[in-house]
């Protein structure tokens, strides 16, 4: 509604916003949509995992549909839509899986039938082109929905091999909860757009989304001409924490929201990313 999807294909400036990992944080989603409007964004995209972690998962789905956000299916959305037994998050540590299961069971029981059907029909990826830049949108990686791509352990050569089959110059994903970007020597760029659902394990209470600005490109201009900006989003985190506690979600979840430090799902982090955190 009012986003002008497709504007910019004729060769003018276009600005896109990408949201990752909502984790039921409807307050952060509301703030991010408002911020994107103030920045004259023409198109909104969400790269999956609408539920998990937070309270009242139906609220984010209603907001996404009302704002006409183009959505990609994450592993969580596939599981909720098909009423599977777990979230397919890709954890291996028993403690991580314990908290993931608590989160999943809550989300499944609090997502209504209509929204489950909506999540089930979402595409697992999408290819778009704006101002001559071919983009591939996914949740984890172009080859697997729940693949973790970490900044410290993902090499340029591996990124090139991963992106090449998509035919895209720019790939955007999420899943890890930490935003980062890199352009490879073969002029392919990967952007992890971050998540709106919880802080980036940095001791700050704000969360993140990503803006991509694409001006009309001269013939032969390299893909890094696409300007990528990570945008912090402030929201009423105390209200969210209170609602989490009233819904009976683990205290560890509320602590992360209030402090900006992860207290769960830590074992999946590579050593370099883990050392940046408190726990």
């Amino acid at each position: 509604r009012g986003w002008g999807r497709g504007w910019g294909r004729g060769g003018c400036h276009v600005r896109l916003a990408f949201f990752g990992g909502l984790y039921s944080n409807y307050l952060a989603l509301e703030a991010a949509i408002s911020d994107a409007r103030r920045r004259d964004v023409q198109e909104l995209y969400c790269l999956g995992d609408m539920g998990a972690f937070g309270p009242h998962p139906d609220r984010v789905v209603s907001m996404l549909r009302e704002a006409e956000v183009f959505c990609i299916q994450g592993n969580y959305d596939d599981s909720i839509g098909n009423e599977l037994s777990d979230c397919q998050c890709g954890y291996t540590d028993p403690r991580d899986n314990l908290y993931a299961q608590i989160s999943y069971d809550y989300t499944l029981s609090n997502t209504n039938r209509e929204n489950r059907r909506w999540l089930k029909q979402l595409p697992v990826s999408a290819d778009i082109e704006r101002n001559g830049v071919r983009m591939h949108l996914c949740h984890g990686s172009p080859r697997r929905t729940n693949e973790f791509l970490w900044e410290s352990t993902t090499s340029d050569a591996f990124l090139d091999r991963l992106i090449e089959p998509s035919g895209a110059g720019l790939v955007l994903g999420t899943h890890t909860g930490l935003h980062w970007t890199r352009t490879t020597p073969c002029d392919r760029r990967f952007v992890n757009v971050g998540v709106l659902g919880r802080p980036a394990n940095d001791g700050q209470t704000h969360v993140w989304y990503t803006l991509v600005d694409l001006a009309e490109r001269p013939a032969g201009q390299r893909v890094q001409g696409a300007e990528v900006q990570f945008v912090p989003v402030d929201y009423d985190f105390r209200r969210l924490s209170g609602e989490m506690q009233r819904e009976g979600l683990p205290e560890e979840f509320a602590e992360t929201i209030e402090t900006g430090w992860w207290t769960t799902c830590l074992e999946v982090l590579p050593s370099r990313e883990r050392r940046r955190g408190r726990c």
Side-chain angles (χ1 to χ4, degrees), residues 238-258:
R238 292 184 180 87
R239 176 179 170 184
L240 185 75
S241 173
E243 292 183 5
M244 295 168 84
Q245 293 174 70
R246 286 191 290 275
E247 286 294 295
L249 290 164
E251 289 291 332
E252 289 84 352
F253 293 3
E255 182 181 347
T256 291
I257 293 298
E258 292 176 356

Side-chain angles (χ1 to χ4, degrees), residues 19-275:
F19 307 145
L22 304 184
Y23 307 157
S24 302
N25 192 340
Y26 71 97
L27 294 168
L29 176 61
E30 182 179 46
I33 291 173
S34 296
D35 187 78
R37 287 192 174 116
R38 289 193 296 270
R39 296 172 185 267
D40 296 324
V41 166
Q42 287 82 50
E43 301 179 22
L44 288 178
Y45 297 87
C46 179
L47 303 185
D49 280 3
M50 312 334 173
F53 196 69
H56 314 303
D58 282 333
R59 296 182 184 181
V60 295
V61 175
S62 295
M63 286 183 182
L64 291 167
R65 299 178 74 174
E66 173 66 21
E68 296 185 346
V69 180
F70 183 91
C71 295
I72 295 296
Q73 186 184 75
N75 53 279
Y76 227 92
D77 314 312
D78 177 54
S79 290
I80 296 293
N82 289 287
E83 301 182 16
L84 304 183
S85 60
D86 61 54
C87 64
Q88 307 178 86
C89 292
Y91 302 131
T92 58
D93 179 76
R95 185 176 185 272
D96 287 350
N97 280 319
L98 171 65
Y99 283 106
Q101 194 65 49
I102 293 170
S103 175
Y104 180 73
D105 291 343
Y106 171 85
T107 304
L108 182 61
S109 64
N110 287 276
T111 302
N112 68 39
R113 292 287 178 184
E114 179 185 354
N115 287 337
R116 292 184 195 185
R117 288 192 294 269
W118 183 79
L119 293 169
K120 183 177 181 177
Q121 58 79 42
L122 293 176
V124 297
S125 64
D127 296 291
I128 62 174
E129 183 170 334
R130 302 290 183 269
N131 283 354
V133 177
R134 296 182 65 185
M135 290 170 276
H136 180 78
L137 315 183
C138 57
H139 180 70
S141 81
R143 68 178 182 179
R144 193 169 75 244
T145 296
N146 67 350
E147 182 167 13
F148 294 98
L149 296 182
W150 303 103
E151 183 177 15
S152 69
T153 59
T154 305
S155 69
D156 287 350
F158 178 76
L159 273 181
D160 272 325
R161 292 196 302 271
L162 196 64
I163 294 172
E164 185 177 16
S166 73
L170 177 61
V171 170
L172 299 108
T174 178
H175 191 54
T176 69
L178 301 174
H179 54 281
W180 62 278
T181 184
R182 186 185 306 150
T183 301
T184 73
C186 292
D187 197 30
R188 299 184 179 102
R189 188 168 190 175
F190 176 79
V191 180
N192 187 311
V193 304
V195 298
L196 285 174
R198 66 173 182 170
N201 198 28
D202 57 3
Q204 304 296 317
T205 57
H206 55 245
V207 293
W208 298 86
Y209 79 95
T210 296
L211 288 177
V212 175
D213 277 283
L214 299 167
E216 183 177 7
R217 300 191 311 151
Q221 180 176 313
R222 292 165 62 85
V223 72
Q224 57 257 43
E227 181 182 345
V228 174
Q229 179 184 358
F230 297 122
V231 181
V233 177
D234 291 312
Y235 69 100
D236 192 346
F237 68 91
R238 292 184 180 87
R239 176 179 170 184
L240 185 75
S241 173
E243 292 183 5
M244 295 168 84
Q245 293 174 70
R246 286 191 290 275
E247 286 294 295
L249 290 164
E251 289 291 332
E252 289 84 352
F253 293 3
E255 182 181 347
T256 291
I257 293 298
E258 292 176 356
T259 66
W261 298 113
W262 291 6
T263 56
T264 61
C265 304
L266 286 161
E267 295 304 316
V268 73
L269 289 171
S271 59
R272 185 177 301 174
E273 280 80 0
R274 191 181 305 180
R275 287 196 300 269

